[in-house]
Amino acid sequence: MVPPVRALTVVFVLALVLVVVVANWGALPDWVGVIYRFPGGDKVGHLLLMGALSFLVNMSLLGRRWRILRREVPAGTILV
């Protein structure tokens, strides 16, 4: 059985892939354009999406950490 957070992570990744494909086609809905109407809006969108992805991957990996330069860093954050 797949834990719910891992299933949610897979669904989120698939949704991100779908958004990228639709954006490349130039077929994003009009309401998404609201994000781009103010300076830095696309950066805020990327921050929220990548932050959510990083959180979900970290939760899916059960908080595993990797040691990098004498510091422990969440593995999911490094992967994302």
Side-chain angles (χ1 to χ4, degrees), residues 44-61:
V44 172
H46 283 96
L47 176 73
L48 294 174
L49 290 173
M50 293 299 109
L53 178 61
S54 182
F55 173 77
L56 287 170
V57 172
N58 278 313
M59 294 298 291
S60 295
L61 293 175

Side-chain angles (χ1 to χ4, degrees), residues 17-46:
V17 169
L18 179 64
V19 167
V20 169
V21 168
V22 171
N24 282 335
W25 287 340
L28 284 174
D30 291 335
W31 61 267
V32 176
V34 172
I35 295 171
Y36 295 102
R37 288 200 183 112
F38 65 92
D42 60 332
K43 307 277 188 291
V44 172
H46 283 96

